[in-house]
Amino acid sequence: SDHILTHVFLFVFIACSCNSTGTKNGTTCHKQGGQCHCKPGVTGHACDRCKPGYFNFTGSGCTGMYSKMIENL
């Protein structure tokens, strides 16, 4: 008898819940997993907080400590 192998792929589609302040303009999240495209210095699944060592969460992203030190020279 013939055996037919059937592969079932289950993809989990998660609705986007991206933070509009921390997400790059004009982007959406990945269809699989829901990861948003973050602005510079921003992190998190929804791009909702600054990366460690960064601060000042704004529409431009977050500022790094190093760039702030150069600015003050």
Side-chain angles (χ1 to χ4, degrees):
S1 72
D2 294 333
H3 295 285
I4 298 173
L5 296 177
T6 304
H7 296 280
V8 177
F9 294 96
L10 176 64
F11 294 104
V12 177
F13 293 98
I14 299 172
C16 292
S17 60
C18 302
N19 181 294
S20 60
T21 301
T23 303
K24 289 182 181 178
N25 296 335
T27 64
T28 59
C29 66
H30 290 284
K31 290 179 183 175
Q32 298 172 21
Q35 175 65 49
C36 302
H37 299 277
C38 300
K39 291 180 180 176
V42 179
T43 191
H45 194 76
C47 301
D48 57 355
R49 63 186 180 277
C50 291
K51 291 179 177 180
Y54 288 76
F55 63 98
N56 195 29
F57 183 70
T58 68
S60 299
C62 295
T63 306
M65 292 299 292
Y66 182 72
S67 61
K68 189 66 175 174
M69 290 184 331
I70 291 175
E71 198 176 280
N72 291 330
L73 290 177

